[in-house]
Amino acid sequence: MELAASTIGKLRRVRSRSRLYTLASHPPHPISSVSISSRQIPQCNMESSSAQLTDIPLSVNQLSNGQQQRTSTGSPNTTQKSKYLTVTQYLPAPYPHLGNINGAFEPSCVDIHNNSVVNNYVDGNQPIKQTGMHFGDGKRKVDYVLAYHYRHRSSQHNGSPTIHRPPAVIVSNGNSVTPEEIDKAPSEQPLPGELQNQQQKVQEHNQPKQQNHEHQHSRNGNSSCNPHEVVVVEMSHQDALEEEKKCQREEFERNLIEAGLELEKDPESKNHGLNFVRIHAPWQVLSREAEFLKIKVPTKKMYDVKQESGFMGKLCGIWSVCTKPLQPKVPQISENTKTKPLSYPFSRDKLHLYNIKDKDTFFDNATRSRIVHEILKRTSCTKAKYSMGITTLIANHVYDSAFPLHDGDYDHNKGEMNERMLLHKEWARYGAFYKYQPIDLIRKYFGEKIGLYFAWLGLYTWLLIPASLVGIIVFLYGCMTVEADIPSKEMCNEEESFTMCPLCDKSCDYWNLSTACGMARASHLFDNPATVFFSIFMALWATLFLEHWKRLQMRLSYFWDLTGLEEEEEHPRPEYETKLLLMKEKCKAWKTGKKEKLTWRDRIPAYMVNFAAILFMIALTFSAVFGVIIYRITVAAALAVSANEGTRTNVRATVTATAVVINLVVILMLDEIYGSVAKWLTEIEIPKTEKTFEERLILKAFLLKFVNSYASIFYVAFFKGRFVGRPGSYAYIFHNYRVEECAPGGCLMELCIQLSIIMLGKQLIQNNLFEIGIPKLKKLFRKLKDERTEPGEQNLTSSREPQQWDRDYALEPFTGLTPEYMEMIIQFGFVTLFVASFPLAPLFALLNNIIEVRLDAKKFVAELRRPDAVRARDIGIWYNILSGIGKFSVIINAFVISVTSDFIPRLVYQYMYSQNGTMHGFINHTLSYFNVSHLKHGTQPENSQFAQNVVFCRYKDYREPPWSPNPYDFSKQYWTVLAVRLAFVILFQNLVMFLSAVVDWLIPDIPKDISEQIKKEKSMIVNVFLKEEHKKLQLIENFLMHDKQRGKTENRGRRSRAASFCQFNRSQRGSFTSFSSHHTDV
């Protein structure tokens, strides 16, 4: 029976493709809008209608070739109110006779005749069913919305059309046109601001008799008049542009209707305002596009999903019981997960395979909106001079925006529960921070691309928990061992204190090393042997995170039916088409051949600008870092001569803290600038597709923001204190200021302060306050902008409750996932690149991400318009960036441990120079001697507070003493430590890379159970179709056997009939003879 039903469906579709639809034509009306009652709508039984009928083909192009005769079926001045309002449109060439096509059909007629319902114009004075998500009839669901602002000419007031206007209205951009000029040949006297093409005007000029019987439709109404009666209207440039936009909208909407979509919008009842075009996709369109897009849908066939067994199965059962309170209460979680429906790309030829209970709900809302969006993207608009539609029209401001609707309100305390309310209740609240994310519901509502982002963010946040625990253990180890640290004790010993050389010229005095005791003890919290282990652990953690994500990504692809997803062909961007069109015109003018696409030669100027701009931005970042360095040096020199003893004591802490705050402010400002610059640089390259545009934008923005965020940290870690010189031969900036040195305990503590303040500041200010505050400010600005109306104008929606499209339009438009990924990628760099200097970085990242997940969720559910559902198999180029950062972090941490920290000098001293194998004497070993008499003239301290005469001062470096043959040269210890540092970098890098490769090899990218399930699903699909083909062959054989048997019975019947006919013929002959003889006797 199923096969028979599918065969009948094929025949019906074949018949519907070639059917001509019949409807009663409408008479011309002297006013622009006429209300049609339900009794005047053509009935389904059109053959019995008394009105004159006209066959109208499906194609709009065929309509423009013939003249449509319009006959009246009722009074033309009917003013009865109805649910829909039929509005005669101004239709420019080449479709001048389609004005009356935009009416309302009886829905039952449409269902029977397989015709699409064309534009339904809703009367603003009539009550509309407050469904919020449906057309005015309350039945057809709104799948997509186009929003636009319109502006009528100044000659109209309050939307009332000008009556008794002649049909031919000639408009100009400020130029007056006389009727005498209009009578001239169009080819000789083209009209300024003309909307129709020259060919159509020539046809109208050559057929004046035919035009006398046609009805010209003006912009605001219909009127029948002599075509030579012309009214010249002065039109400003803005009005002419609005007229062009209106024509483009009308053509685009006609093409959407031709594609099978159903449209509805309100009448334009004001001089200017906002209007919405509601779009509904019927089943015929959804099934056709689903087959074209190869959308996988569930079939009736169910199969068992492999479950863990044995010891692992018991562990999984215990884990599921323990985490049950953390599971969100959504239907997708509570349903049976032991079975899965077999999925297969949708095909209209195999409808019997799918579990179609209701055609209105078979495709979910996200799939319906994606299908409509695909139609909108490929629908052409010739008046826009480009090949593709909605993207170009939005770029040209013909439409303001295009977006799918949310599923009602998100407040779960109001109305009936929907998916948006469910997401807000179980996911998009800070009170649900402890729950798992409902990833399947997120994917169902927002699409696969956004679902993958939140799945990646959830996995990243989840894996930060073990990293945070290990970081806390390392930090606690430093706290517990600080009292036992011998170098810290030696530095804090005031009895055996070392007299250090002055930190600046003239104003700085000699000082005791014991005054830096606090900084030395704090440095041990982060500079201890455990940090080396933590660096290795974090490198392996990054590899484990990426491997785990690949496995989760494959699992989601299997359950979301993304396996075997092919790359969809993308449409060119409007900017690309514009540039290509200009290049074609230029080549045509120069006669150099036909231009098919933009090549790298066409983009050379853009590439040069990109290269120069990126170099300039990087130089600007370095200049900002250099400016902060100058600030530190000058402020330190100024505070050193202060009369306040407390100020002089806390110079280093004050300068470090203020410089980091200034650096943070500069980073935040440059981040916003670099985002805009990266977008501009990508736009001038004119990438062909949106995917290429997004990838190039991501690379530029990441490069600029990476340099901006980490430039100051790289300076402190690897350059500060490396090129200061020595006493008597210091390096100077601007001939007056000495290059700053590291603290006596090393630069690692300062690096920790720099990293922590920048990381926490970016997360608190940029990732949270900016994400909360800027969207609210933008929403307020858009609201104030939309509320500005002319005096006397009333809002169309003031008389009724705002519909869902009104509320969604007030939300902030969705601009992509690039900002969300970017802030997490930068945070990932803070967690992995310099984790040796700040073991608590994973903990702060975890705390931030717990808030970030709910903040992003609330933004997507409550503050942004619903984005288009986009299919994606992976996170794209972001995975490559993460992998690159993970490998780069190994090298950075190796250099931080070997160069910035004192781990290598302590190791070398303990095993090569210590007499008893302990750290006693390490401070004295790292300090060199300097004879104060060798100081340059004018650099000696003034008014020294030291009572005794200082002969030698100490400074931190490995140099020969002044009494050696080569005074102040680098000592053997210096070269030994340098060699060990380089050896450690090589050893550490290769060891961690090898361990990462081992982890990568041990963990397969595709889980074993998923691989088996994919193979099982493929074999089941093959079996299902083989069984179906077997049934078809059996049905054909049965049919042939039945036909053969019927042929045999027919042959037998034919023979018996032939024998009976012969017998009958003989009997007839005998009766005829007897009758003849009997007649003769008579």
Side-chain angles (χ1 to χ4, degrees), residues 694-708:
E694 184 180 9
E695 290 179 351
R696 296 185 182 183
L697 174 62
I698 289 170
L699 288 176
K700 293 182 180 63
F702 173 74
L703 175 62
L704 295 176
K705 292 188 176 184
F706 181 88
V707 173
N708 181 43

Side-chain angles (χ1 to χ4, degrees), residues 521-535:
R521 293 171 65 88
S523 298
H524 180 74
L525 299 177
F526 305 101
D527 188 5
N528 55 70
T531 58
V532 180
F533 160 76
F534 189 59
S535 299

Side-chain angles (χ1 to χ4, degrees), residues 82-95:
S82 66
K83 188 179 296 183
Y84 300 103
L85 183 69
T86 302
V87 178
T88 305
Q89 301 237 355
Y90 170 76
L91 301 174
Y95 312 116

